[in-house]
Amino acid sequence: MNILEVKNLKIWDSQTGKGIITNSSFQLKQGSCLGIVGESGSGKSVTCRSIMRLNKPPLRQSGNILFKGEDLNTLSEKDMRRRRGKNLCMIMQSGMSAFDPSNVIGVHLHETLSEHFGWNKAQVAEKMGHAMRSVMLENPLEMMNKYPHQLSGGMLQRTMIALSIVLEPDIIIADEPTTALDAISQFEVVDQFVKLRKQMGSSIIFVSHDLGAVKKMADEVLVMKDGEIVDRGDIQSIFSESQHEFTKYIVSARMALSGNFNNLMRSV
Amino acid sequence: MGSYIIKRLISAIPLLFIISLITFGLINLSPMDPAKVVLEAQGVPKITEELIAQTKADLGMDKPFIIRYFDWVVACLHLDFGTSYVTGKPVWSLIGPAFLNTLKLTTVSSAAIIVLSILLGVACALTAGRLIDKSVRGLSFFLTAMPSYWLASLLIWYFSVHLDLLPTSGMASVEHYILPVTVITVSYVGIYFRFVRSSMLSNLNEDYVLYGRACGLSEWKVTMHILRNSLQVAVSIFCMAIPIILGSTVVIENVFAWPGLGSLSVRSILNRDFPIIQAYVLILAAAFVLFNTISDIINAAMNPKLRNGL
Amino acid sequence: MRIFMNLCKDKLAIASLVFIAVLITAGLFAPVFAPHNPEEVNMSLRYAGPSWEYILGNDHLGRCILSRIIYGIRPSVLWVFAALFISVLIGSILGFLAGYFRGKNDAFIMKLCDVLLSFPGYVMALALVGLLGVGLENILIAFILIKWAWFARVIRTSVMQYAELDYIKFAKASGISHGKIIWKHIVPVTFSDIAVISSSSMGTMILQISGFSFLGLGVQAPQAEWGMMLNEAREVMFTRPELMLAPGLAIVLVVMALNFLSDSLQVALDPRLLNSNKGNQVMAPVSKIKIQEKEVPN
């Protein structure tokens, strides 16, 4: 069963008339994880935001985005807003800038959860506390009273994951969730994602140019280049037997890198 | 936080010192002999050398510069700014009430400017590139190019002479405030709403706006977050604006015959009444430094990053 | 050349440029353009309306308003240009000294600027006029003394940006003289910044200086100056309000043209702004200094 079906998605800049996504179609199966890889500027983030209908005004989109059979592209803004967070949840690249810098992070958590569930502060604290502990964040209550700049990027990233655990969305869209982190935090965050998937059975769209993370997470992979999907397939075939030049190129680049790293490690 | 305020206030002291030194020194830079100015200002018919020497001794001008400076600073701290060359009255008795009048005008105008700038800035940022934004910005282009005294004269002609609705001059009642405040507001809103607008627009591109929307927050709530962050910049700018407005009501006060600092200072300049000019510059410069300091403190208080670092 | 091409795309900017060029020419050759002697009193023509001989009519002394406007370009616009040029020049020299050589000079110049900028500029100009005495020259001197500090500071920032670049460091290391580096490599790139900041102060300065004249602190009668003309017109405002129109509109048009030009110049020099919705410049930390410059729209 496909939970999300994107058909003929086109995105263009209405000011310059320049096309950004020329014509994309892809599906996300219930409970599976779709990886999207590609260079920066290849249209991965724009694709993700178009599913949430959150691209900036000069960008326009057309095509069908069928979520459980319902076309998100034709929904009213009000109905769409109700699905954001509740059905479709996003995890941003940089936790540091994702929370309002002038408020403690609890404010955002409370606003989101009271919007969707009408919870009061105590309920939010209880549920969030539980979820935050499950992603290895100690002292959740203390954390919720801190400003973003007082926490680390990895902690904020895990807070976003914890929020999505509480929201129990059908689809989680993670846009480069590990890129801004150091190696150890990266490992922890990916680890949390894997657990999250096992626990909740949510479907996940996982965007990254870190092929290692994608390999660990994804069942199927889309390879994007210059706004087009140039290659697709399940994780094994993409990594080992892809026929496409560009895919081979990025996989080999990754291998060369990690090969280099392994060599270095061995020589130490 | 408390220690920051104290630190910031102390750091303003050397600046005040330099300001007072320059203000005092300026009189001595004047190409004219102050004693001669005094005599001329008092309308003495025949100015002789003895008379000049006599006046110098009377005013203590024969003492060395440093001693005069310190005497003056100590006196100023007691609000004793000397006596007017022209009327012979104490400067404070002239400048005090005038300052109060200007302060009234400035307070009302500043409030109007701040409220309107925020409203227009927010409206324009939210409709960026669309009709409201374009027309407000177009209009502001025209209004900021207008000499305020010209606008004032046009308004007086239309509302006071043609329609006979509002008084032309003085400050007796609330109605007297309407025209001067309108003119001051119009000339400044065009500048300050742009700061609110551009600050809002740069915040609109922040990640937290996207994440807020992605979590399904209502547009109203997202806007309030943007506003909260944009106003941090705006507040310090507005704080800076108040002394600027205080200093620039000169022209408007003259047009509307507002009995404030502006009218007084221009009259003093025309009469070369130095002690009043001196006191005027000193008071406004001190206000400038004070508001600058307050602006920094408010900024620090509003920004959690700064606040916690203190 | 590219800058000029960009500027050409903007019709409003071209119109403004032409307007200002015509105005400057008219001001420079005022005796040629003005139909009458601006100071010629003719009491039989007091308050006369527009006629073919006197296109804009006559004032309270029967003088030709059009001729007075044309002669008024000199003190109202040309002299302000000159004053602005001098203060930008002082600001540039000190800004370059501070930004390029850094060190003690820099610290000293910046301290000086800080002190000057901590005075409210408009009030200081007023005070200087009070000390030096009434007159246009003194107003101009006061403005030069006050404005240079702001220019010096902005230009220093601009110079510092470029002086840190690798190719400048390379030029220094390869033993090219400082004068040559500044002249050949830094002046051309900072020139655009200087052009933008000076053009954006021009409108404000015209307004402020005409305001001083309006208060009777500047040009003295019978010489023609726009602010002065408005001051004279104010005396008869209740009976002859139409006398306020010509000089007032002259100021509005010049200032608007200058502001348009300055905005377009900014876009032409930095084409990024064109695509990202004109005028959305992100607030730089210099905003606090900026605001002081935008002081008084009199």
Side-chain angles (χ1 to χ4, degrees):
Chain A
M1 225 281 273
N2 289 332
I3 190 159
L4 185 78
E5 255 189 278
V6 175
K7 288 183 194 161
N8 306 320
L9 177 69
K10 286 194 187 78
I11 302 174
W12 68 96
D13 187 327
S14 62
Q15 268 175 0
T16 59
K18 208 182 101 205
I20 293 163
I21 302 291
T22 37
N23 191 349
S24 281
S25 300
F26 58 89
Q27 302 85 31
L28 177 65
K29 290 196 190 78
Q30 172 83 55
S32 81
C33 176
L34 178 70
I36 304 183
V37 296
E39 295 163 312
S40 46
S42 59
K44 297 168 298 187
S45 291
V46 175
T47 304
C48 288
R49 285 177 203 173
S50 74
I51 297 169
M52 308 276 288
R53 283 193 14 209
L54 281 175
N55 276 313
K56 300 260 155 54
L59 298 192
R60 302 271 174 78
Q61 62 190 65
S62 74
N64 307 98
I65 301 169
L66 300 174
F67 169 70
K68 292 184 176 166
E70 181 181 45
D71 193 349
L72 295 180
N73 233 353
T74 58
L75 279 183
S76 74
E77 183 56 35
K78 203 175 147 209
D79 290 331
M80 187 65 216
R81 204 180 64 231
R82 223 172 281 145
R83 279 167 184 72
R84 288 186 198 130
K86 187 80 203 303
N87 300 104
L88 303 154
C89 189
M90 199 153 171
I91 286 165
M92 313 271 297
Q93 172 170 354
S94 159
M96 224 33 149
S97 60
F99 291 92
D100 180 347
S102 312
N103 284 321
V104 294
I105 58 167
V107 171
H108 177 89
L109 304 175
H110 178 245
E111 277 180 354
T112 306
L113 293 170
S114 70
E115 182 82 35
H116 293 295
F117 304 114
W119 290 347
N120 62 24
K121 277 218 165 104
Q123 283 167 302
V124 170
E126 188 207 323
K127 303 266 180 177
M128 274 311 294
H130 193 70
M132 282 164 88
R133 263 181 229 107
S134 79
V135 291
M136 317 297 283
L137 289 169
E138 305 300 325
N139 298 327
L141 288 178
E142 199 178 302
M143 262 189 78
M144 278 188 255
N145 277 318
K146 288 206 163 153
Y147 289 94
H149 71 273
Q150 295 170 309
L151 300 165
S152 73
M155 285 162 114
L156 291 165
Q157 209 80 36
R158 278 180 282 160
T159 310
M160 284 195 273
I161 297 175
L163 179 60
S164 60
I165 292 175
V166 177
L167 283 165
E168 296 188 317
D170 300 283
I171 302 174
I172 293 173
I173 300 174
D175 187 359
E176 308 256 8
T178 57
T179 318
L181 302 176
D182 60 82
I184 294 167
S185 310
Q186 262 182 25
F187 176 81
E188 285 172 352
V189 167
V190 170
D191 208 40
Q192 289 308 327
F193 265 107
V194 174
K195 274 190 196 153
L196 175 76
R197 240 194 102 185
K198 268 187 204 144
Q199 255 174 38
M200 301 175 41
S202 294
S203 318
I204 296 175
I205 297 180
F206 191 90
V207 177
S208 186
H209 52 239
D210 176 4
L211 287 184
V214 171
K215 200 173 176 184
K216 211 166 160 189
M217 287 284 302
D219 305 309
E220 278 175 276
V221 180
L222 300 179
V223 182
M224 287 190 71
K225 185 175 193 270
D226 300 332
E228 274 180 76
I229 298 173
V230 291
D231 199 5
R232 63 180 80 203
D234 60 57
I235 191 86
Q236 258 70 39
S237 63
I238 284 288
F239 272 86
S240 51
E241 55 213 55
S242 172
Q243 295 308 304
H244 197 278
E245 277 308 311
F246 184 67
T247 314
K248 277 190 202 163
Y249 165 70
I250 54 174
V251 170
S252 66
R254 147 88 187 164
M255 292 308 173
L257 260 181
S258 56
N260 220 342
F261 180 72
N262 290 339
N263 284 342
L264 274 174
M265 292 308 282
R266 231 171 281 135
S267 67
V268 168
Chain B
M1 191 66 211
S3 68
Y4 173 74
I5 294 176
I6 293 167
K7 240 188 268 167
R8 191 64 191 75
L9 285 175
I10 289 174
S11 75
I13 289 175
L15 202 56
L16 283 172
F17 172 73
I18 297 173
I19 283 172
S20 67
L21 195 64
I22 291 178
T23 314
F24 187 76
L26 277 178
I27 299 294
N28 293 275
L29 287 177
S30 169
M32 292 179 73
D33 185 347
K36 213 170 149 196
V37 174
V38 176
L39 292 169
E40 273 175 5
Q42 287 167 349
V44 174
K46 206 164 155 245
I47 298 168
T48 58
E49 287 298 320
E50 295 94 75
L51 214 49
I52 289 179
Q54 173 68 36
T55 318
K56 270 192 173 164
D58 286 351
L59 295 172
M61 280 182 216
D62 45 0
K63 287 185 206 158
F65 178 80
I66 292 295
I67 305 226
R68 275 187 291 144
Y69 169 67
F70 278 108
D71 287 348
W72 179 73
V73 168
V74 171
C76 283
L77 290 174
H78 295 95
L79 292 182
D80 172 13
F81 296 98
T83 49
S84 157
Y85 287 175
V86 180
T87 59
K89 286 185 194 158
V91 170
W92 181 246
S93 75
L94 296 167
I95 230 171
F99 183 63
L100 205 64
N101 289 341
T102 298
L103 207 60
K104 283 180 193 162
L105 184 62
T106 309
T107 313
V108 179
S109 311
S110 304
I113 290 168
I114 292 170
V115 170
L116 261 180
S117 299
I118 292 177
L119 286 179
L120 282 178
V122 171
C124 284
L126 295 181
T127 59
R130 279 184 277 154
L131 190 66
I132 296 179
D133 179 41
K134 278 187 177 157
S135 40
V136 170
R137 279 198 294 155
L139 191 66
S140 85
F141 229 101
F142 178 69
L143 291 177
T144 45
M146 212 187 269
S148 61
Y149 53 89
W150 189 59
L151 176 66
S153 307
L154 293 183
L155 290 179
I156 290 183
W157 174 76
Y158 189 73
F159 288 103
S160 307
V161 181
H162 192 71
L163 298 179
D164 198 18
L165 278 177
L166 296 166
T168 57
S169 58
M171 56 170 296
S173 69
V174 177
E175 278 107 72
H176 286 88
Y177 280 82
I178 297 177
L179 287 182
V181 167
T182 309
V183 175
I184 297 174
T185 308
V186 164
S187 10
Y188 280 99
V189 162
I191 297 169
Y192 289 106
F193 93 92
R194 281 161 188 267
F195 285 98
V196 178
R197 178 181 177 274
S198 64
S199 167
M200 282 277 284
L201 283 178
S202 63
N203 265 292
L204 265 166
N205 287 324
E206 291 289 328
D207 269 358
Y208 73 83
V209 176
L210 181 65
Y211 188 55
R213 288 195 177 128
C215 286
L217 294 188
S218 63
E219 209 44 40
W220 169 253
K221 276 205 176 123
V222 173
T223 309
M224 290 325 275
H225 282 287
I226 300 172
L227 200 60
R228 168 91 163 71
N229 283 289
S230 315
L231 286 187
Q232 255 172 44
V233 183
V235 163
S236 60
I237 286 174
F238 285 134
C239 231
M240 300 280 302
I242 292 172
I244 291 173
I245 298 167
L246 193 68
S248 65
T249 51
V250 177
V251 181
I252 297 302
E253 285 185 10
N254 268 279
V255 178
F256 290 99
W258 191 271
L261 275 185
S263 304
L264 182 68
S265 63
V266 171
R267 228 180 311 128
S268 312
I269 288 170
L270 293 172
N271 294 332
R272 310 186 68 79
D273 198 344
F274 287 164
I276 296 187
I277 303 175
Q278 214 172 28
Y280 171 68
V281 175
L282 188 70
I283 290 177
L284 281 184
F288 209 71
V289 173
L290 180 73
F291 275 97
N292 237 321
T293 312
I294 295 178
S295 150
D296 281 355
I297 291 173
I298 291 184
N299 212 10
M302 278 186 75
N303 188 336
K305 261 187 219 175
L306 294 175
R307 188 169 53 212
N308 289 309
L310 305 171
Chain C
M1 200 55 218
R2 177 185 60 85
I3 294 164
F4 188 71
M5 291 297 284
N6 277 343
L7 215 52
C8 280
K9 280 184 212 144
D10 197 337
K11 284 195 191 107
L12 209 55
I14 287 305
S16 307
L17 195 65
V18 170
F19 178 75
I20 291 167
V22 168
L23 201 82
I24 292 176
T25 323
L28 284 175
F29 303 103
V32 181
F33 286 91
H36 298 275
N37 180 346
E39 290 167 23
E40 188 187 88
V41 176
N42 186 346
M43 291 312 255
S44 63
L45 283 170
R46 284 187 80 182
Y47 305 123
S51 63
W52 284 113
E53 215 197 327
Y54 297 95
I55 295 172
L56 294 176
N58 302 70
D59 68 3
H60 64 295
L61 293 175
R63 294 174 294 193
C64 171
I65 292 182
L66 178 63
S67 306
R68 287 181 73 72
I69 294 269
I70 292 177
Y71 270 90
I73 295 173
R74 290 177 170 182
S76 304
V77 181
L78 298 185
W79 281 112
V80 181
F81 264 122
L84 180 74
F85 180 78
I86 297 174
S87 61
V88 171
L89 194 69
I90 299 175
S92 307
I93 293 172
L94 292 177
F96 272 95
L97 277 181
Y100 183 80
F101 294 107
R102 309 298 304 272
K104 269 184 193 160
N105 285 333
D106 180 32
F108 177 73
I109 293 172
M110 281 307 112
K111 267 276 159 330
L112 197 63
C113 289
D114 278 344
V115 170
L116 271 175
L117 287 173
S118 67
F119 276 96
Y122 194 68
V123 172
M124 279 312 281
L126 208 60
L128 283 173
V129 173
L131 294 173
L132 297 171
V134 165
L136 182 66
E137 322 81 70
N138 292 340
I139 293 186
L140 294 176
I141 292 173
F143 271 84
I144 292 170
L145 287 178
I146 285 155
K147 296 260 170 175
W148 70 263
W150 185 74
F151 291 122
R153 175 179 276 196
V154 179
I155 292 167
R156 168 183 175 263
T157 315
S158 166
V159 170
M160 257 163 48
Q161 254 170 29
Y162 294 107
E164 297 292 307
L165 293 182
D166 284 340
Y167 75 93
I168 302 289
K169 284 186 185 157
F170 178 73
K172 274 186 192 170
S174 50
I176 299 172
S177 75
H178 290 307
K180 209 170 169 190
I181 295 178
I182 292 180
W183 184 246
K184 284 244 157 143
H185 297 292
I186 302 187
V187 171
V189 280
T190 49
F191 185 74
S192 63
D193 288 349
I194 297 176
V196 168
I197 56 160
S198 42
S199 68
S200 67
S201 338
M202 188 64 205
T204 326
M205 219 158 143
I206 286 184
L207 284 174
Q208 289 180 335
I209 290 179
S210 83
F212 274 54
S213 290
F214 176 78
L215 293 174
L217 303 175
V219 169
Q220 298 299 301
Q223 223 194 323
E225 198 273 347
W226 296 346
M228 182 70 193
M229 289 171 77
L230 282 168
N231 186 13
E232 288 169 353
R234 180 166 71 137
E235 318 265 300
V236 292
M237 189 173 69
F238 298 106
T239 47
R240 305 278 170 181
E242 65 273 14
L243 286 184
M244 311 246 2
L245 281 181
L249 282 177
I251 298 177
V252 172
L253 285 177
V254 174
V255 175
M256 267 174 78
L258 284 167
N259 287 351
F260 277 132
L261 204 60
S262 144
D263 268 23
S264 321
L265 197 63
Q266 207 160 355
V267 176
L269 291 169
D270 190 358
R272 268 175 308 159
L273 293 176
L274 193 65
N275 299 331
S276 68
N277 202 355
K278 201 159 137 187
N280 287 3
Q281 303 96 313
V282 176
M283 298 269 304
V286 285
S287 60
K288 226 174 166 177
I289 316 165
K290 241 186 212 159
I291 199 92
Q292 286 177 338
E293 170 55 18
K294 288 278 174 205
E295 240 177 50
V296 190
N298 277 292

